[in-house]
Amino acid sequence: MRADGICKRGLTAGIDVGGTNTDGVLYEPRERRVEGWVKIATDHSDYGGCVERALEALVSGGAAGDIISLNISTTLSTNALLEGAGAPVNLVLIGFEDFPHIKKEILNAVSPAALLEARGGHNGRGIARAPLDEEALRSFAARHAGEYFALSSLYSPRNPEHELRAAELIREAGCAGLTCGHELARSKLNSVRRSVTAFLNSSLMPLTRRLISGVEASAARIGLECPLMFLRSDSSLVCADWCLRFPIETIFSGPAASMRGAMIIGGIQGGDALVADMGGTSTDIGLIRNGGALYSREGAEIGGYRTMIPSLEISSIALGGDSRVDAGEDGSLSVGLERVLPLCRGGLSYTPSDALCALGLLAAEEREKSLAASDAFGRRLGLTAEGFAKLVRAKTSARLLDAISAAGGGGLKKICVGAPTAAFVPEGAEDWLIPEAAAIASAVGAASASLSLSCSVSIVHNFFDESFSAFLPSRMIKGKDFEAIRAEAAAALDEHLRRQSRMMGFDGAETETEEEYEYFGDGKGLSSLAALTLNGRAVVRNAQ
């Protein structure tokens, strides 16, 4: 009920902050209907202000009291990492002194403000290799009080006790924020990815804190009384508090939102398809199989390095309506990798958007600049202004088609979303669908998202003493009664998923577990069981 006694309509607001535009929608989740939308230019110096202006436009008709969730997708984390704009982070490596090759690979990927190599860590069975050097940690923490930290201990997914103790000592000395490697590993092993993921996560904390603070203040000024949620790279939602702890989980929230939105507005309820989302800066491409988006088993990749963050399998190319176009004196023509402000919007560079403007396919205030530039560039190539604009359009379309082909889109139905995409679709192509709400697909995806959380637990058979070790999210258990170990592991996994979902802002999650058995040899009995992996998943249906 609203304060005036009138029942809420149960709308969600979805805001997508993109590189060129910020889109917003009001969405009715039960009937999967868009009730209103807005598109404004993104101000890269004030993302919070962009969200506020979008919200003001959406609720101008008095809908603020009907909004039950504000869902944000953004490229802020992605841009910060690609541009090297993250905060300085101190890195603590525990137990790596005998593994210089691992340390070297970690430091090839990240550049810590300060580095501590401390004794400690565990082996693959979760047994401590050496006592934790607490004195070294206290001294290091005191020298860098008030700063950001990332902690990575050898085999911490098998036993996180040294990371947890190190975090306790650093917090006692005072820190701005820290990340433990096991928190984002989801029980998976890989020292390098785990260390890099923790480091990058801490580097995004201050930026994310400013964003969330700005959005919360904007929502309060507008009169919204609803949860603030953020879209993760796997297209699921987390609350603002969770996002503050693990901002790296949003690195691909924008592309994930566009995939989800495209499936909704494209009416995909089964079968296979390809989604291509072209914005002003980039084009994101993903595949749908049997009515669901494909997920990356390896984790999201950013800046050429794989993280341990769950993500949809999305390929991106630097191609958009605002990509810089260069025409050489030798007759060459290229649609480049750099995003610029088009001439037709007061910029200084020619883009595919200018080509569309010159052809009368895009309305803009300064069309005469696009026409004049089309004429000047066309003269170099012996073309009219119209001919040059058509050539740029064809060149952009060819790059789009090449990217779709490389992503495995041959023969599939193609759902094209994003503001400029329709202009670059081949004329008369029967397997291309441009939904009516194509220009706001990402915002629809954000508005319609819900919770999906996964975690795995491994149970390993020690053939030397015929015992079984289960590596749980927060501890290790060991015993010779396999069924008892299995039952305790399954219960701990279920409780972990439910606890995590509550921390993400959701109650009443449904959990499910799948089992994967691995055997030595052809036999499939307890004596030949090598390992059992419990793959757990928590879902909240219609979380809005």
Side-chain angles (χ1 to χ4, degrees):
M1 298 283 289
R2 298 201 317 231
D4 56 11
I6 300 174
C7 291
K8 286 187 177 184
R9 287 190 290 153
L11 302 178
T12 61
I15 307 289
D16 177 67
V17 184
T20 300
N21 294 308
T22 293
D23 300 339
V25 302
L26 284 180
Y27 185 75
E28 209 296 325
R30 291 167 184 80
E31 298 184 17
R32 297 161 68 103
R33 183 179 68 248
V34 175
E35 295 210 346
W37 63 276
V38 63
K39 183 182 289 285
I40 64 174
T42 296
D43 180 354
H44 290 266
S45 65
D46 185 13
Y47 288 96
C50 294
V51 173
E52 181 168 357
R53 289 192 294 276
L55 284 173
E56 286 177 338
L58 289 174
V59 304
S60 60
D66 293 315
I67 297 176
I68 59 174
S69 183
L70 171 57
N71 303 343
I72 308 291
S73 66
T74 176
T75 59
L76 180 59
S77 294
T78 307
N79 295 341
L81 294 181
L82 291 176
E83 296 168 6
V89 176
N90 303 310
L91 178 62
V92 177
L93 297 178
I94 303 172
F96 287 86
E97 62 273 7
D98 294 332
F99 304 94
H101 60 292
I102 298 179
K103 170 192 166 185
K104 180 180 179 180
E105 194 170 349
I106 293 170
L107 296 181
N108 282 340
V110 298
S111 299
L115 173 67
L116 172 66
E117 297 179 74
R119 293 190 308 276
H122 294 74
N123 62 23
R125 298 193 302 276
I127 300 172
R129 300 177 69 249
L132 179 65
D133 189 347
E134 295 192 5
E135 187 57 38
L137 278 159
R138 286 191 182 93
S139 177
F140 187 75
R143 291 197 305 272
H144 299 283
E147 299 174 2
Y148 290 90
F149 293 79
L151 317 179
S152 181
S153 180
L154 194 66
Y155 279 106
S156 63
R158 295 290 168 88
N159 192 333
E161 65 175 351
H162 284 180
E163 283 186 0
L164 293 171
R165 178 55 179 159
E168 183 180 355
L169 294 173
I170 291 172
R171 288 193 178 101
E172 287 176 357
C175 67
L178 63 81
T179 307
C180 293
H182 77 276
E183 294 179 300
L184 290 161
R186 292 168 180 82
S187 300
K188 295 182 179 180
L189 296 177
N190 189 309
S191 294
V192 178
R193 285 190 194 174
R194 185 170 68 252
S195 303
V196 171
T197 303
F199 182 94
L200 297 179
N201 186 72
S202 289
S203 76
L204 293 171
M205 286 179 172
L207 194 65
T208 305
R209 186 174 291 116
R210 290 196 297 271
L211 170 67
I212 291 177
S213 176
V215 173
E216 287 178 335
S218 297
R221 283 193 293 270
I222 292 170
L224 295 188
E225 297 179 356
C226 63
L228 172 60
M229 312 298 289
F230 285 81
L231 204 72
R232 298 196 301 170
S233 299
D234 63 356
S235 81
S236 64
L237 287 175
V238 294
C239 66
D241 286 344
W242 182 272
C243 189
L244 282 171
R245 287 184 60 196
F246 305 117
I248 195 173
E249 293 193 338
T250 68
I251 53 175
F252 288 145
S253 74
S258 70
M259 285 288 294
R260 184 180 187 91
M263 293 171 62
I264 292 174
I265 64 178
I268 299 298
Q269 299 181 2
D272 301 341
L274 176 143
V275 172
D277 176 20
M278 179 185 287
T281 307
S282 63
T283 297
D284 303 310
I285 298 173
L287 296 178
I288 297 171
R289 298 293 188 189
N290 298 318
L294 293 185
Y295 282 78
S296 168
R297 292 183 176 272
E298 298 299 320
E301 182 176 357
I302 184 72
Y305 204 91
R306 285 281 184 182
T307 69
M308 304 190 87
I309 302 305
S311 172
L312 299 185
E313 188 68 67
I314 294 171
S315 60
S316 298
I317 62 170
L319 176 69
D322 296 347
S323 295
R324 178 171 175 165
V325 174
D326 290 307
E329 297 291 347
D330 59 354
S332 61
L333 177 68
S334 65
V335 181
L337 305 180
E338 180 185 5
R339 184 186 71 85
V340 296
L341 185 64
L343 292 166
C344 60
R345 294 204 295 269
L348 300 175
S349 300
Y350 194 92
T351 68
S353 293
D354 288 300
L356 299 181
C357 188
L359 293 170
L361 300 175
L362 176 68
E365 293 181 359
E366 302 188 42
R367 185 188 178 211
E368 67 279 1
K369 289 186 177 181
S370 298
L371 287 168
S374 297
D375 180 65
F377 282 127
R379 290 176 183 276
R380 295 184 187 178
L381 306 180
L383 299 171
T384 63
E386 181 182 8
F388 178 78
K390 286 183 176 179
L391 181 62
V392 171
R393 184 185 183 189
K395 182 78 171 182
T396 306
S397 180
R399 283 198 62 199
L400 174 63
L401 292 175
D402 287 344
I404 287 174
S405 177
L412 293 178
K413 180 179 181 179
K414 299 167 185 64
I415 305 173
C416 298
V417 297
T421 314
F424 302 107
V425 170
E427 294 184 8
E430 296 182 355
D431 58 346
W432 293 68
L433 171 64
I434 304 173
E436 182 178 352
I440 53 170
S442 293
V444 172
S448 63
S450 59
L451 167 73
S452 178
L453 171 67
S454 61
C455 185
S456 297
V457 165
S458 297
I459 302 176
V460 178
H461 188 178
N462 186 340
F463 289 93
F464 180 76
D465 63 0
E466 292 301 324
S467 66
F468 296 89
S469 298
F471 304 102
L472 309 181
S474 60
R475 69 187 195 281
M476 181 192 74
I477 58 175
K478 183 177 180 179
K480 295 190 175 183
D481 186 335
F482 171 73
E483 289 301 330
I485 292 290
R486 175 179 169 278
E488 186 173 350
L493 177 60
D494 181 80
E495 173 55 29
H496 172 76
L497 290 170
R498 293 182 186 277
R499 184 172 60 253
Q500 295 287 87
S501 67
R502 289 193 294 271
M503 291 172 63
M504 288 179 173
F506 299 102
D507 288 318
E510 302 174 13
T511 62
E512 54 190 37
T513 303
E514 295 181 352
E515 299 182 343
E516 293 183 13
Y517 289 84
E518 180 183 347
Y519 297 94
F520 280 125
D522 296 329
K524 292 190 176 181
L526 188 60
S527 61
S528 61
L529 177 65
L532 167 63
T533 301
L534 304 176
N535 296 310
R537 184 167 177 259
V539 178
V540 172
R541 316 288 180 185
N542 298 320
Q544 301 92 311

